[in-house]
Amino acid sequence: MTAYVDYAYYRDSFHGSAVNEADFPGLAVKASAFIDRQTFNRLRSAEIIPDEAKMATCAVAERIQIAEKSGALSVNAAVKSENNDGYSVSYNDLSLIRAQLYADYEDAALPYLHGTGLMYAGVDLPKRRCY
């Protein structure tokens, strides 16, 4: 899978600085996969990737970096509370944590993808294709 953006686009067009050049390729691939889910893989067959999708990819890459650095999906993040009086541990539901992260990524992508038609989940009559 190739990413929709490279570091030069991130730095020069998106004007991003939160992600360093060494980490960007991996984050961009993950962000591109997320954008594919949001756009029902419409961009995979596109000859030219619209700037809105590239900008959304950059925004999501920054959010993924934040989540990874914070350890949001680690075992320690799942600990809700601990009690040393008889020792007990309660855990957060990991599916809720993932849903919160997914919503955060959606929030990052939405300002760029809104109104483009890329997120339309209905039927494309000219192409006779359901999304």
Side-chain angles (χ1 to χ4, degrees):
M1 171 183 216
T2 57
Y4 292 133
V5 294
D6 58 10
Y7 189 77
Y9 184 91
Y10 171 73
R11 181 191 62 228
D12 300 334
S13 298
F14 186 75
H15 303 290
S17 60
V19 179
N20 67 41
E21 190 169 1
D23 294 338
F24 190 78
L27 294 169
V29 168
K30 292 174 187 176
S32 296
F34 179 81
I35 297 301
D36 279 342
R37 282 184 282 164
Q38 294 296 103
T39 61
F40 305 96
N41 289 315
R42 285 185 177 100
L43 298 171
R44 286 289 157 203
S45 60
E47 291 181 25
I48 297 172
I49 305 300
D51 277 337
E52 295 87 354
K54 291 178 181 181
M55 293 284 191
T57 303
C58 292
V60 172
E62 288 186 344
R63 298 286 178 96
I64 291 172
Q65 177 182 313
I66 292 167
E68 287 180 353
K69 283 189 174 182
S70 71
L73 288 175
S74 71
V75 173
N76 292 335
V79 174
K80 187 176 185 178
S81 65
E82 290 187 67
N83 182 347
N84 62 2
D85 182 37
Y87 190 74
S88 68
V89 178
S90 64
Y91 295 92
N92 287 314
D93 185 356
L94 277 178
S95 63
L96 291 176
I97 294 170
R98 286 188 183 109
Q100 289 170 341
L101 287 174
Y102 188 88
D104 184 45
Y105 302 162
E106 272 185 334
D107 288 345
L110 188 61
Y112 302 102
L113 297 177
H114 180 74
T116 63
L118 291 171
M119 296 172 58
Y120 176 65
V123 176
D124 186 356
L125 292 178
K127 294 182 182 179
R128 296 181 181 206
R129 190 170 175 189
C130 294
Y131 294 103

